[in-house]
Amino acid sequence: MSNDSQGSVKGEAAMMSSPSGSASSQGPPLSPSTTSKPPELPDELVQAGWSKCWSRRENRPYYFNRFTNQSLWEVPVLGQHDVISDPLGLNAAPAEGGDGNLGNGQRKRRSSEEQGAGPNSFKRVKVEPTTPISPSTPGVKPWNSVPEDKPAQPATPTTPSPAPAPYRPAVIYWDLDIQTNAVIREHAPAHHLPPHPEIELQRAQLVTKLRQHYHELCHQREGIDPPRESFNRWLLERKVIDKGQDPLLPSDCEPVISPSMFREVMNDIPIRLSRIKYKEEARKLLFKYAEAAKKMIDSRNASPESRKVVKWNAEDTMSWLRRDHSASKEDYMDRLEHLRQQCGPHVTAVAKDSVEGICSKIYQLSAEYSRRLRQTHLSLLQDPPTEACASPQQSRLVYCYPVRLAVPSPPLPRVELHFENDVACLRFRGEMVKVNRGHFSKLELLYRYSCIDDPRFEKFLPRVWCLLKRYQVMFGSGANEGTGLQGALPVSVFEALVRQFGVSFECFASPLNCYFKQFSSAFPDTDGFFGSRGPFLSFCPVSGSFEANPPFCEELMDAMVTHFEDLLQKSSEPLSFIVFVPEWRDPVTPALTRMEASRFLRHQLSVPAYEHEYRSGSQHLCKRDEMYYRAVHGTAVLFLQNDAGFVKWAPTAERLAELTAAYRPSPSRPSSLSSPGPAPGDRDSAPKAADRTQGAVMSPGGHDDNNNNNNNSSSSSSSSPQDKTGAV
């Protein structure tokens, strides 16, 4: 950004004490020895970061912005010259001396030359602060360029020297120069409402409130904490079938009762089963389960038969625990599995109505919040959209392009930007979101490539704030919560996919973790300005080579496989999908079984556990030495291709060998020994009796490209799908 191109002003200026009076840029030069106080800046300018400084070389005051490192001779006018949207000051008010066609830097030098050397003026090696710009900002000329109607003058000692280069990350985890080979049919603009910071802030508050309601309902009705990140997985599962108009909150789903949320809450009743490593832990867990099951069946409206079965088994287990003190860990776990088989169906029948009430209540609140948000959003638009009618299917084939919104964006409020070391901080109404400077520059490039309605970057900062806030809200606010939603394949794997298989598109990504500038993501309204082609289940390519590492959710995985087979069946053009999923066999996931049985499967590759790595889900914020982690579970790589795609991108032995080699961890970069999830042996430490009957499947973490970043540190092996909850 522009503030990276600034020189230090500490050697040239001494900060002045806060003066009083009105500011004027036309008065005579102020002497630092004068006894009268100089004019005071308006409060608006002070809040925006402006302060008045003294130039000893020029013997006159100038104005410096501590947020943007911007320096001006004239009194700045709030809202007239913004360093992001107008780096050259081309829209700034011209000086009254007649140099209206000159930039601030040229006016500044000319005024100092005409003034001549003052009594305190002497030649220095350092250069006086000049107007900053970001050479990477689109829609503006280089800072030392001259107006188009004047020929460029040769460089002289009096012309300013070139500005420093823009900020460039030390390590780049993307390649935005790769052009897409994905071909689609041209379609009409989407009818999503354009993002607005006010609405995004209200949405964040309502989602936080909804999470709190979910927590309270689980405590009040079942006496348990909500399963870790189950709310995130509920959002994902609902959006697969949601026909509502809010991008995040479900509002039009059938059925109303979420199978995902029902399954996860039910798995933690009567108690949550944690992973067991030691004998004493297994003994305590068995006792707690028996006690909780007996207490629950006594306090609920259960049938006499259920009461008899549960109480008899619970008392028998407690009697066995009092008699046998020499049992091993395996004995305790076998006994716990037997107890769950005997008591589980009766406990489930007793708690069924209560858990369904939790799911229904959360959905109803979500629908109400969605309706309220839309009404507020429509009131902010200058031209509210009319009822959208179905547009006819276009027949022209084109290369895929970012989502375009049919509704024009209204004027957006100001978002403040400042940098703290290598972190960009964006603040709106006291709410701050952060992203490291490398990814901030990436967002700037994506915005330049993809946005067509804001060439002067006037809405860039508000849209970045909305983007970061949306993903922050979806991740959740718990410790390490949501870090599995944004993981990614290593750069070396993407490079191999590009070279060997012509991959140029990610099916599940976001502007924060994408490798290409073309990708599908969860939120078309916020992500479309940064290159998103919209949700993948709504994306219908005719040809191209794609990488897919979906969020590990059973409902989404099934929908993804169905979508793949439909696309491969309909297209006669080269079409290829390389799918990365965790290779979990106990129990096996239905989507993996379907892909292995698909007639479009050309090859399947297995990458062993601990022999490959992934990038962290918090890559846009984490430190460089925390970027990679080893995968603790194997990864299955499946090649789904039609006949033309197989001819063009066949998974030959040479290509597969390079892909496998690219997956190996690099010895030159640090990485954690394992992902935050459980080791493979830990999955066998918890009972498995209800694994398939209750639909419970363990899953790795990661949004889009993250395969095994499982962050559930205290759930049982029979818990519901974990983490892998990202873009739909």
Side-chain angles (χ1 to χ4, degrees):
M1 291 300 295
S2 57
N3 59 334
D4 296 355
S5 305
Q6 308 313 311
S8 174
V9 299
K10 294 181 180 178
E12 288 294 325
M15 299 298 292
M16 298 183 64
S17 59
S18 297
S20 61
S22 61
S24 173
S25 61
Q26 302 301 325
L30 301 177
S31 171
S33 60
T34 181
T35 57
S36 62
K37 292 185 178 181
E40 183 179 5
L41 288 175
D43 291 338
E44 294 82 3
L45 294 178
V46 175
Q47 294 295 328
W50 289 100
S51 58
K52 195 170 184 178
C53 307
W54 183 264
S55 173
R56 282 188 263 174
R57 190 185 77 176
E58 300 294 338
N59 195 27
R60 60 178 296 190
Y62 70 96
Y63 303 87
F64 174 74
N65 192 308
R66 67 179 184 276
F67 293 153
T68 63
N69 287 350
Q70 185 180 0
S71 304
L72 296 174
W73 286 125
E74 294 80 17
V75 177
V77 180
L78 195 63
Q80 182 176 0
H81 178 206
D82 183 74
V83 67
I84 298 296
S85 62
D86 190 16
L88 285 177
L90 300 178
N91 290 337
E96 295 181 5
D99 291 330
N101 61 339
L102 298 177
N104 287 329
Q106 293 169 317
R107 289 200 303 268
K108 179 177 182 180
R109 180 166 292 279
R110 176 164 298 185
S111 62
S112 62
E113 290 171 356
E114 292 174 354
Q115 182 182 359
N120 297 328
S121 170
F122 55 91
K123 187 174 182 180
R124 292 194 179 204
V125 178
K126 293 184 179 180
V127 181
E128 198 67 16
T130 57
T131 303
I133 73 154
S134 171
S136 63
T137 302
V140 300
K141 308 167 189 175
W143 78 280
N144 57 350
S145 65
V146 297
E148 293 180 0
D149 56 342
K150 293 186 178 182
Q153 300 295 329
T156 63
T158 60
T159 58
S161 58
Y167 177 83
R168 297 188 182 280
V171 181
I172 297 178
Y173 302 98
W174 52 84
D175 189 347
L176 305 183
D177 295 329
I178 297 176
Q179 301 301 318
T180 185
N181 57 17
V183 176
I184 62 173
R185 296 194 180 277
E186 190 176 13
H187 53 79
H191 289 273
H192 305 289
L193 299 183
H196 195 285
E198 293 280 1
I199 300 301
E200 209 57 48
L201 181 59
Q202 185 176 351
R203 179 178 288 112
Q205 295 168 349
L206 292 176
V207 173
T208 302
K209 186 177 180 180
L210 192 62
R211 287 180 185 271
Q212 183 63 28
H213 277 301
Y214 178 47
H215 189 275
E216 293 173 354
L217 286 172
C218 289
H219 265 283
Q220 293 171 0
R221 298 194 179 189
E222 301 300 333
I224 62 172
D225 289 330
R228 181 178 173 83
E229 297 203 33
S230 60
F231 187 87
N232 296 346
R233 289 186 287 274
W234 174 77
L235 287 175
L236 173 63
E237 180 265 332
R238 294 279 86 184
K239 295 307 289 186
V240 174
I241 60 174
D242 183 37
K243 299 178 182 178
Q245 297 176 314
D246 191 87
L248 183 59
L249 290 170
S251 59
D252 186 6
C253 301
E254 186 63 38
V256 172
I257 306 299
S258 165
S260 172
M261 179 177 286
F262 179 85
R263 185 171 59 233
E264 293 194 49
V265 175
M266 194 65 73
N267 283 342
D268 283 358
I269 294 175
I271 63 170
R272 174 176 299 174
L273 300 179
S274 58
R275 294 186 213 91
I276 301 302
K277 293 184 179 180
Y278 305 106
K279 170 184 171 180
E280 288 303 318
E281 292 179 349
R283 179 184 175 88
K284 291 180 181 179
L285 185 64
L286 177 58
F287 179 81
K288 288 181 178 179
Y289 186 92
E291 186 180 43
K294 182 181 178 181
K295 181 179 179 181
M296 181 177 180
I297 208 72
D298 286 338
S299 61
R300 302 291 179 94
N301 187 20
S303 65
E305 181 65 21
S306 295
R307 290 178 186 274
K308 179 180 177 181
V309 172
V310 173
K311 292 179 71 173
W312 186 89
N313 281 277
E315 291 173 356
D316 181 64
T317 299
M318 293 180 182
S319 177
W320 178 80
L321 286 172
R322 286 191 291 267
R323 290 194 316 266
D324 194 344
H325 297 280
S326 61
S328 64
K329 170 190 168 184
E330 288 72 20
D331 294 335
Y332 290 126
M333 300 309 298
D334 290 341
R335 188 81 184 194
L336 179 57
E337 181 178 352
H338 173 75
L339 186 61
R340 292 187 69 194
Q341 288 177 342
Q342 296 298 318
C343 301
H346 301 283
V347 170
T348 299
V350 169
K352 180 175 181 292
D353 292 341
S354 176
V355 176
E356 287 182 347
I358 294 175
C359 300
S360 177
K361 181 66 174 179
I362 294 301
Y363 173 76
Q364 292 170 2
L365 288 174
S366 175
E368 172 62 22
Y369 293 164
S370 174
R371 182 190 61 80
R372 191 187 308 175
L373 276 172
R374 183 165 181 85
Q375 290 179 351
T376 307
H377 203 163
L378 291 173
S379 66
L380 291 177
L381 299 178
Q382 295 175 334
D383 300 318
T386 57
E387 192 68 25
C389 57
S391 57
Q393 182 71 24
Q394 304 292 328
S395 59
R396 190 170 67 146
L397 295 178
V398 296
Y399 286 112
C400 67
Y401 53 90
V403 173
R404 308 297 185 206
L405 300 183
V407 182
S409 178
L412 300 180
R414 178 183 177 84
V415 171
E416 298 177 0
L417 168 69
H418 71 277
F419 293 92
E420 297 177 358
N421 298 325
D422 271 350
V423 178
C425 305
L426 293 87
R427 183 190 300 273
F428 174 74
R429 291 189 178 273
E431 290 286 331
M432 181 182 294
V433 293
K434 297 182 179 181
V435 62
N436 63 45
R437 295 186 71 173
H439 281 75
F440 187 77
S441 65
K442 174 190 179 183
L443 293 176
E444 187 180 12
L445 290 173
L446 288 172
Y447 194 78
R448 174 199 291 184
Y449 294 146
S450 307
C451 181
I452 61 174
D453 68 341
D454 185 26
R456 301 185 63 83
F457 273 43
E458 295 171 348
K459 301 175 181 177
F460 173 69
L461 289 181
R463 286 171 174 172
V464 171
W465 188 91
C466 291
L467 168 75
L468 296 175
K469 193 65 177 177
R470 177 74 60 81
Y471 281 98
Q472 182 189 76
V473 169
M474 185 176 182
F475 294 166
S477 58
N480 297 324
E481 186 177 3
T483 56
L485 303 182
Q486 286 289 320
L489 296 173
V491 173
S492 57
V493 176
F494 273 116
E495 292 173 344
L497 291 174
V498 172
R499 288 193 304 267
Q500 299 301 324
F501 301 99
V503 173
S504 66
F505 192 100
E506 296 167 83
C507 298
F508 300 90
S510 76
L512 299 174
N513 76 340
C514 64
Y515 180 79
F516 308 106
K517 65 175 179 286
Q518 50 272 343
F519 56 90
S520 287
S521 68
F523 308 118
D525 58 331
T526 56
D527 300 355
F529 300 108
F530 301 91
S532 173
R533 272 55 173 170
F536 180 72
L537 296 182
S538 304
F539 182 74
C540 299
V542 176
S543 69
S545 183
F546 301 83
E547 176 269 345
N549 196 352
F552 197 71
C553 164
E554 289 191 49
E555 292 80 7
L556 176 59
M557 293 278 282
D558 281 340
M560 177 199 70
V561 175
T562 302
H563 192 53
F564 282 162
E565 293 189 339
D566 288 345
L567 295 175
L568 292 168
Q569 176 71 34
K570 294 177 181 178
S571 177
S572 59
E573 299 296 324
L575 191 58
S576 171
F577 297 99
I578 304 178
V579 188
F580 295 79
V581 292
E583 192 170 21
W584 291 39
R585 301 291 180 179
D586 187 20
V588 67
T589 58
L592 180 58
T593 303
R594 289 182 58 192
M595 286 189 288
E596 290 177 335
S598 173
R599 69 183 184 91
F600 297 105
L601 179 66
R602 306 296 179 173
H603 188 81
Q604 182 172 346
L605 177 68
S606 296
V607 186
Y610 297 103
E611 296 184 13
H612 60 296
E613 61 185 9
Y614 290 90
R615 275 185 287 141
S616 169
S618 56
Q619 58 186 273
H620 59 289
L621 284 174
C622 70
K623 299 178 182 178
R624 183 176 174 183
D625 57 355
E626 300 172 353
M627 183 63 69
Y628 286 91
Y629 67 90
R630 296 285 178 92
V632 298
H633 298 287
T635 296
V637 185
L638 300 99
F639 294 78
L640 302 178
Q641 300 169 330
N642 61 7
D643 293 337
F646 179 67
V647 171
K648 189 171 185 179
W649 300 298
T652 61
E654 295 78 9
R655 290 174 173 174
L656 294 173
E658 180 170 344
L659 178 60
T660 304
Y663 236 141
R664 296 192 185 100
S666 173
S668 60
R669 65 176 175 235
S671 64
S672 59
L673 294 179
S674 65
S675 70
D682 293 338
R683 298 186 69 231
D684 300 327
S685 300
K688 305 175 184 177
D691 278 353
R692 273 321 313 145
T693 59
Q694 297 184 8
V697 180
M698 292 284 286
S699 77
H703 161 74
D704 178 28
D705 299 320
N706 184 5
N707 234 353
N708 298 296
N709 187 13
N710 188 336
N711 295 309
N712 192 344
S713 59
S714 62
S715 63
S716 71
S717 65
S718 61
S719 65
S720 56
Q722 297 177 12
D723 289 336
K724 195 70 166 136
T725 55
V728 180

